[in-house]
Amino acid sequence: MPLVRIYETSVADDKKHLNGLSAVSLIIAAYLMIVIILKNTFGLSSWANVVTLVCLLVLLALPLLIARRAQRDSMEKTVPHDYSPLISSPKATTSGNQSSEGDSRIDSGLSENLNLLQAMKNLSFWLLFLAMICGMGSGLSTINNIRQIGESLRYSSVEINSLVSLWSIWNFLGRFGAGYASDALLHKKGWPRPLLMAATLGTMTIGHLIIASGFQGNLYVGSVIVGVCYGSQWSLMPTITSELFGVRHMGTIFNTISVASPIGSYIFSVKLIGYIYDKTASGEGNTCYGSHCFRLSFIIMASVAFFGFLVAIVLFFRTKTLYRQILVKRLHRR
């Protein structure tokens, strides 16, 4: 914390720098994916490990250069110290103030900057919470058990290590891609974000079924689908939260909804996957080998993800008018 400093900034002016950080993040993700695959497939000598480490350190240093450039550019501009583009209303004439108040009501969601208790009285809060239990919970349960699933399907330790390592890459790509896609679909097509959330839950259903199928290479395909969809939900949920309930109490509401992830993970990992595995295991050391070890668990989780898809569809129809108002107002501002 002693290293943290607050700098006056403008979101519009920083867009090019934020795009630069996004590009660096994608480059690092691609680089790590290539290195992980090469290392786990072919192995790397000691000198090759040193070279890859140096290259990684250089890539990790690039955001510092972008931040330094952004700081230099910001010194040429001044922004009022007490201004926040999220919660401050622009100053204007009497008629302009009335318009700003209307904008605030629309941009803040169903009501103007709801607190946690007010948000919890709204059905949309619980629809979003339930959808996240189904999506985040089943996704986290997958990564929690992916090593044991690989062992039951007789994947080699190298293959399992690759799957575990690459999960973070799929997770990142889901978070990054869903954020970009939801913005594009909302502003260009007028599609509300809950619709994309429903799409990720529907796709996650397919991923769980692929893992349950047990065909050769199923864990590669299934982990990519579930990993990307799991990351997508972590990108969509906070944005939807801010649009439905406002930003003044977003931190409290967002973290309350985030509790859905560990709750779902406990239910699906312990009470479902762990319970069924213990009932199925009969080998030495209480182990199980074969596709049947986790088939029933992932069929149930696929059903749960599909139920989350239906919940997200209900949320989509419930917030459709709100998103239309938000889109019209933002287009009017342009």
Side-chain angles (χ1 to χ4, degrees):
M1 290 305 296
L3 301 177
V4 175
R5 298 290 182 271
I6 298 176
Y7 291 95
E8 298 172 353
T9 184
S10 171
V11 175
D13 293 336
D14 285 346
K15 184 177 180 180
K16 64 178 181 179
H17 302 300
L18 294 174
N19 289 339
L21 291 173
S22 298
V24 171
S25 299
L26 288 173
I27 293 172
I28 292 175
Y31 175 79
L32 287 173
M33 180 176 65
I34 294 172
V35 170
I36 290 171
I37 293 175
L38 290 176
K39 186 173 183 178
N40 289 332
T41 304
F42 304 104
L44 296 176
S45 61
S46 57
W47 67 266
N49 282 321
V50 172
V51 171
T52 56
L53 175 60
V54 171
C55 293
L56 178 60
L57 293 176
V58 171
L59 291 174
L60 291 174
L62 290 179
L64 296 176
L65 299 178
I66 297 175
R68 178 59 181 169
R69 182 180 301 172
Q71 184 182 20
R72 186 176 65 248
D73 292 347
S74 66
M75 293 176 64
E76 302 174 0
K77 305 177 181 68
T78 58
V79 179
H81 181 70
D82 59 348
Y83 174 75
S84 170
L86 290 176
I87 61 177
S88 297
S89 297
K91 297 179 180 179
T93 61
T94 302
S95 60
N97 285 333
Q98 294 174 351
S99 176
S100 298
E101 291 174 0
D103 293 354
S104 178
R105 284 194 296 271
I106 291 176
D107 286 348
S108 295
L110 299 174
S111 184
E112 185 174 355
N113 291 313
L114 302 182
N115 59 34
L116 178 60
L117 293 179
Q118 291 171 331
M120 293 179 71
K121 294 177 182 178
N122 195 288
L123 179 59
S124 295
F125 176 92
W126 295 108
L127 289 174
L128 184 58
F129 187 84
L130 184 57
M132 291 303 93
I133 287 181
C134 298
M136 293 180 177
S138 63
L140 188 57
S141 298
T142 302
I143 184 57
N144 287 344
N145 294 275
I146 196 169
R147 179 172 294 278
Q148 200 167 15
I149 298 170
E151 291 174 351
S152 70
L153 296 175
R154 300 193 183 276
Y155 281 67
S156 67
S157 58
V158 171
E159 292 174 317
I160 295 174
N161 290 336
S162 299
L163 288 170
V164 173
S165 300
L166 290 173
W167 175 274
S168 296
I169 306 295
W170 314 138
N171 186 4
F172 162 77
L173 292 177
R175 296 183 188 222
F176 185 91
Y180 179 84
S182 65
D183 283 341
L185 292 175
L186 176 62
H187 296 297
K188 295 181 180 180
K189 301 290 186 179
W191 295 359
R193 297 187 204 274
L195 183 60
L196 184 58
M197 176 174 286
T200 63
L201 285 163
T203 306
M204 180 176 277
T205 301
I206 298 174
H208 288 318
L209 290 175
I210 289 175
I211 295 176
S213 65
F215 66 82
Q216 187 175 4
N218 70 316
L219 206 51
Y220 286 105
V221 180
S223 65
V224 171
I225 295 175
V226 175
V228 170
C229 293
Y230 173 74
S232 299
Q233 288 151 25
W234 275 110
S235 175
L236 293 169
M237 185 270 283
T239 311
I240 294 174
T241 299
S242 68
E243 291 170 338
L244 295 184
F245 310 114
V247 296
R248 190 175 297 278
H249 302 283
M250 179 189 169
T252 305
I253 300 173
F254 161 70
N255 283 288
T256 302
I257 297 176
S258 297
V259 175
S261 179
I263 290 177
S265 176
Y266 173 77
I267 295 173
F268 301 132
S269 292
V270 179
K271 299 300 183 180
L272 177 63
I273 296 178
Y275 176 79
I276 294 178
Y277 182 87
D278 291 339
K279 290 293 184 180
T280 306
S282 58
E284 184 179 353
N286 197 32
T287 57
C288 179
Y289 293 99
S291 59
H292 66 283
C293 301
F294 293 92
R295 177 177 291 129
L296 179 59
S297 298
F298 276 87
I299 289 176
I300 294 175
M301 287 209 299
S303 302
V304 169
F306 184 74
F307 175 71
F309 161 79
L310 297 178
V311 171
I313 289 293
V314 174
L315 182 63
F316 159 67
F317 283 110
R318 179 176 171 79
T319 60
K320 191 175 181 181
T321 302
L322 168 67
Y323 274 97
R324 187 181 297 114
Q325 292 175 325
I326 293 175
L327 183 61
V328 169
K329 188 59 62 175
R330 289 178 179 174
L331 290 175
H332 177 70
R333 287 178 181 176
R334 294 178 182 178

